[in-house]
């Protein structure tokens, strides 16, 4: 009897504890938070500290139609902003975050942050000191895009995007859509940190500059920001960027414009691509054998050349091979000039020659520019389902 009573008491206690565990003890109400969509970090000349600019979502304004119709009390007034851009300064990044409470009745909430923008000035000096907060704070996340502003990072928080109500979200989606051209490097914080701590690869990030159109500032994203360690070193243009992505096997789509024998332009669409990197050390000479395979379609024909022949298809494939090779060579030339291994060639040697790497890595900055890279490109244009004849009859 006593044993049954004891079991009943234990069961009741456990049931009561389970009920307590279901409570939302750490819930956060939207009305109590300042939801951050984007954040920018600059050096503050006046305080010699950090200037933090946050783009905060005005939840009540997002998704509201413009005013003027019936029920206008709930409609968004013309010109109303969907975000609030606010600045704060501090001796450190964490200090600047806390100092937002001097201006805001709500605590900054980072789990929905889309972008982190560093100024060119900070990036050239080194951004390692400003990464600790994002790594340690339990509310920040590593799946956020890292961008480098052409000038002041805070100015990026004030740009407008035409198709997105929240500018930081619009910028993030521009980076996500980079696969359409494969001419932009998109790097999230987690990937940037991985490259930063790597002994074999230097980091890259997304560059951003501001264009002024019709009195409004608009973001422009293209190319690649190249680092040596945590310091911004140089930039790759769009073609050099795709050259980098060919090597890394990160080209997904894009357009290559070539010319036919009559000097007419033809647009070739990239539909598939892959790469293989092989490291070799022969008689003390460091070599990389790179093989790139790409497939595609004929997307546009500006002239009247008849492309519906095997000879012409082979010609177009050779032209595409040469174009891909030129893009890779341009990226290699820039990286070797600045002695920054953004291709992960060091990783290829590390994997194949792990016992030699400890000796190699000490002088890698000098070895990398001297590496001989052989480039082989395989190109395939699909015939099936394509109208290879010109849109108007060819004159005989």
């Amino acid at each position: 009897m006593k044993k049954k009573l004891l079991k009943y008491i234990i069961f009741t206690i456990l049931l009561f504890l389970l009920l307590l565990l279901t409570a939302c003890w750490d819930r956060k109400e939207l009305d109590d938070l300042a939801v951050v969509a984007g954040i920018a970090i600059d050096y503050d000349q006046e305080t010699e500290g950090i200037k933090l600019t946050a783009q905060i979502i005005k939840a009540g304004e997002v998704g509201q139609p413009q005013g003027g119709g019936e029920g206008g009390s709930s409609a968004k007034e013309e010109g109303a902003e969907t975000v609030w851009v606010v600045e704060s300064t501090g001796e450190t990044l964490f200090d600047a975050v806390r100092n937002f409470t001097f201006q805001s009745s709500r605590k900054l909430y980072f789990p929905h942050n889309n972008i982190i923008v560093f100024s060119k000035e900070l990036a050239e000096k080194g951004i390692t000191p400003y990464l600790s907060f994002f790594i340690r704070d339990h509310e920040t996340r590593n799946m956020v895009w890292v961008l480098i502003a052409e000038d002041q990072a805070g100015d990026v928080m004030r740009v407008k995007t035409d198709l997105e109500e929240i500018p930081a979200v619009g910028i993030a989606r521009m980076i996500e859509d980079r696969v359409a051209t494969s001419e932009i490097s998109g790097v999230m914080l987690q990937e940037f940190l991985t490259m930063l701590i790597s002994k074999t690869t230097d980091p890259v990030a997304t560059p951003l500059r501001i264009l002024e159109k019709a009195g409004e500032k608009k973001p422009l994203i293209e190319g690649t920001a190249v680092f040596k360690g945590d310091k911004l070193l140089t930039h790759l243009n769009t073609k050099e960027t795709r050259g980098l992505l060919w090597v890394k096997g990160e080209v997904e789509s894009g357009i290559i414009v070539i010319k036919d024998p009559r000097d007419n332009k033809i647009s070739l669409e990239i539909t598939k691509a892959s790469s293989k990197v092989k490291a070799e050390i022969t008689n003390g000479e460091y070599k990389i054998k790179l093989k790139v395979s790409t497939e595609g379609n004929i997307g546009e024909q500006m002239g009247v050349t008849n492309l519906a022949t095997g000879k012409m298809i082979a010609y177009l494939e050779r032209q595409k091979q040469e174009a891909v090779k030129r893009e890779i060579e341009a990226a290699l030339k820039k990286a070797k000039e600045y002695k920054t291994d953004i291709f992960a060639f060091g990783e290829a040697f590390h994997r194949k020659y792990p016992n030699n790497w400890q000796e190699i890595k000490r002088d890698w900055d000098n070895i990398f520019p001297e590496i001989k890279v052989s480039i082989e490109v395989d190109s395939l244009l699909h015939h099936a389902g394509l109208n290879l004849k010109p849109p108007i009859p060819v004159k005989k």
Side-chain angles (χ1 to χ4, degrees), residues 220-246:
L220 177 66
I221 295 175
E222 59 182 7
T224 302
V226 177
F227 284 72
K228 182 66 177 179
D230 72 332
K231 295 179 174 63
L232 176 66
L233 204 59
T234 186
H235 288 79
L236 302 184
N237 63 29
T238 54
K239 298 307 177 187
E240 292 167 343
T241 293
R242 193 156 64 189
L244 167 65
L245 299 181
W246 284 119

Side-chain angles (χ1 to χ4, degrees), residues 182-198:
S182 297
E183 294 180 346
I184 298 170
S185 287
V187 178
M188 287 192 165
L189 181 59
Q190 179 63 56
E191 186 182 358
F192 187 89
L193 291 170
T194 300
M195 290 185 286
L196 186 60
I197 63 176
S198 170

Side-chain angles (χ1 to χ4, degrees), residues 109-159:
Y109 189 61
F110 288 97
H112 297 284
N113 187 29
N114 290 267
I115 59 175
I116 302 173
V117 187
F118 293 94
S119 70
K120 180 183 178 182
E121 182 181 13
L122 279 186
E124 288 178 339
K125 291 179 179 178
I127 64 175
T128 295
Y130 315 105
L131 297 176
S132 177
F133 168 75
F134 298 104
I135 298 170
R136 296 174 182 275
D137 191 86
H138 69 282
E139 284 188 353
T140 59
R141 59 193 184 106
N142 291 339
M143 302 305 288
V144 55
W145 298 108
V146 177
L147 296 102
I148 308 300
E150 185 180 42
D151 192 9
Q152 293 296 302
D155 294 340
V156 177
M157 295 296 104
R158 297 178 176 85
V159 300

